[in-house]
Amino acid sequence: MAAVRTLGLLALVSYLFYESIAAFFILLPFGVWFFLRWEAECIEKKQREFQAQFREAIQSISASMRAGYSVENAIKETKRDLSLLYKENAAIQREFTHMVRQIYLQVPMEQIMEEWSGRVEQEDVRNFVNVFVMAKKSGGNMLGIIGTTTRQIRDKLEVRAEIETMLAARKYEFKIMSAIPFGMIAYMKVSFPEFMGILYGNLLGIGVMSVCLGIYFGAYMLGERIVNIEV
């Protein structure tokens, strides 16, 4: 998907700003840069989705343990709860399916949790697993420790979700504003082809359009820094 978007963007820029096939190939390095950014955005989106799924999972684990389930049975019960909320191909579903299989194979719970932390490589999961393993090994009040940790992680994720919700409108506005220059140039090319024609096929026109493209790129980067706040 990111590759298609990149090629489409390069084709659009090459046509609107230069009307040149050669420009498409000259701009390929920028295309690679955009491709990597879009790939990173896709990964970040999946991570945010997993964080929401993880919040539901740890709340279910904590509730099951308060109800008197052992850790192993709490994991199994959580898997059943997650099946009602998410499809089987959801990331959290795949993880808990794998953990339940390990439980039936009688793999130690600490090992199961540590392997889970290593697979997903997320800070919240790592913190939860570290607390879980320490509580399991120390023989302390596991229910109380896990309950406290669960509430802290849940509160942190809820605050993060609220901030992202507030920023969502601004990000949508930024995407619209980013598309407006392309729409304006396309409108000018269709409505006033004679006026725009002097900007193509000559060095002066190429220079003017390159400056405009550079200004747009700088404004785009600045806009991204403003709306993409680290939470």
Side-chain angles (χ1 to χ4, degrees):
M1 186 62 182
V4 174
R5 289 176 63 184
T6 301
L7 293 175
L9 177 63
L10 287 180
L12 183 64
V13 171
S14 300
Y15 173 70
L16 292 179
F17 284 82
Y18 301 105
E19 277 192 359
S20 170
I21 296 176
F24 178 88
F25 296 99
I26 294 173
L27 292 171
L28 275 178
F30 293 98
V32 173
W33 182 80
F34 271 104
F35 173 79
L36 295 176
R37 286 183 68 86
W38 277 333
E39 280 283 285
E41 285 180 8
C42 291
I43 293 172
E44 184 181 349
K45 181 180 178 182
K46 290 180 180 179
Q47 289 178 340
R48 288 198 300 267
E49 291 174 352
F50 184 83
Q51 286 169 353
Q53 297 167 2
F54 174 67
R55 180 179 61 192
E56 298 291 341
I58 60 175
Q59 288 180 170
S60 179
I61 292 174
S62 181
S64 296
M65 292 184 67
R66 285 198 303 270
Y69 287 91
S70 65
V71 176
E72 290 79 4
N73 287 333
I75 296 292
K76 296 176 185 176
E77 190 65 25
T78 297
K79 173 63 177 71
R80 283 190 284 270
D81 292 342
L82 294 174
S83 298
L84 302 175
L85 298 173
Y86 304 107
K87 297 179 180 179
E88 283 299 322
N89 62 350
I92 198 71
Q93 280 274 61
R94 294 196 301 269
E95 292 298 333
F96 271 79
T97 298
H98 181 71
M99 285 192 285
V100 169
R101 288 173 182 167
Q102 288 181 303
I103 290 172
Y104 282 119
L105 293 173
Q106 298 189 359
V107 177
M109 202 65 230
E110 297 93 326
Q111 180 180 336
I112 293 174
M113 286 293 189
E114 288 174 341
E115 289 178 358
W116 180 32
S117 175
R119 283 195 306 273
V120 299
E121 295 183 344
Q122 286 209 11
E123 180 184 0
D124 297 318
V125 177
R126 184 165 57 249
N127 292 341
F128 177 78
V129 169
N130 288 340
V131 171
F132 174 88
V133 171
M134 287 191 335
K136 185 83 171 174
K137 290 180 177 178
S138 66
N141 182 10
M142 178 175 288
L143 180 58
I145 294 172
I146 290 179
T148 300
T149 306
T150 299
R151 285 192 297 273
Q152 291 174 346
I153 294 176
R154 181 195 63 203
D155 292 343
K156 174 185 174 183
L157 293 176
E158 286 177 352
V159 170
R160 183 182 298 166
E162 288 177 4
I163 295 174
E164 289 176 350
T165 300
M166 290 188 291
L167 290 174
R170 297 290 175 264
K171 290 182 178 180
Y172 183 70
E173 291 171 1
F174 172 68
K175 289 180 180 179
I176 294 176
M177 294 298 292
S178 298
I180 287 177
F182 294 98
M184 291 176 63
I185 295 175
Y187 173 77
M188 294 290 290
K189 283 176 67 66
V190 172
S191 302
F192 308 100
E194 300 84 2
F195 176 77
M196 294 294 291
I198 62 174
L199 294 172
Y200 302 106
N202 59 83
L203 290 178
L204 180 60
I206 292 173
V208 170
M209 295 303 277
S210 295
V211 170
C212 292
L213 184 59
I215 293 172
Y216 171 82
F217 181 74
Y220 179 86
M221 293 300 300
L222 178 61
E224 275 214 330
R225 292 191 64 180
I226 293 173
V227 298
N228 290 331
I229 300 173
E230 291 291 335
V231 182

